[in-house]
Amino acid sequence: MNYSMKLLTKLKAMNDGCSDYRAAQILEISQQSISKVKNNGTSLSDETLTRLANLVGENPVIVVAENALEMNYFPNMRQFWEEVLANAKELESRASAEESEERAA
């Protein structure tokens, strides 16, 4: 199961196990796009992944970077996406730590 499919599964679960048709409506894409992800292992566009990440409460930068690394469309860009992912996770970790400190105070 690729990263796009994992997020689609999460979206559908958050919407009472909705159909592919309903998930497509929520994401404002065609049902055919979802079928391609399910049947061909393709990925959603970065724009759709960003929308999907926001809907399921995940960091869109991390989602797009993880997807780019998984799909490996541009092998010469691997180092770039690894750096983007590392930086995004570091920022997310810092924000979480600061939030915890604020709650403790």
Side-chain angles (χ1 to χ4, degrees):
M1 180 183 301
N2 70 29
Y3 205 68
S4 291
M5 193 61 223
K6 288 178 189 175
L7 292 176
L8 281 171
T9 300
K10 188 172 181 178
L11 175 71
K12 290 170 74 172
M14 291 172 69
N15 287 277
D16 300 319
C18 69
S19 66
D20 289 350
Y21 175 76
R22 179 66 186 126
Q25 286 181 318
I26 293 167
L27 292 170
E28 300 174 7
I29 60 174
S30 68
Q31 187 175 351
Q32 182 180 14
S33 294
I34 291 181
S35 294
K36 286 180 182 178
V37 170
K38 288 175 69 173
N39 299 326
N40 301 335
T42 61
S43 177
L44 297 168
S45 70
D46 290 348
E47 178 184 351
T48 301
L49 281 171
T50 299
R51 189 177 307 120
L52 181 54
N54 286 324
L55 288 168
V56 299
E58 296 208 15
N59 182 324
V61 175
I62 291 174
V63 167
V64 171
E66 290 275 12
N67 184 70
L69 288 168
E70 177 184 78
M71 300 311 287
N72 203 26
Y73 291 133
F74 304 103
N76 59 328
M77 297 289 293
R78 185 161 193 84
Q79 183 179 354
F80 168 79
W81 285 113
E82 287 172 345
E83 290 173 9
V84 168
L85 183 59
N87 289 336
K89 286 183 175 182
E90 175 65 25
L91 288 172
E92 194 171 74
S93 177
R94 283 187 203 166
S96 179
E98 288 175 6
E99 189 176 292
S100 294
E101 288 175 11
E102 288 175 6
R103 274 193 238 131

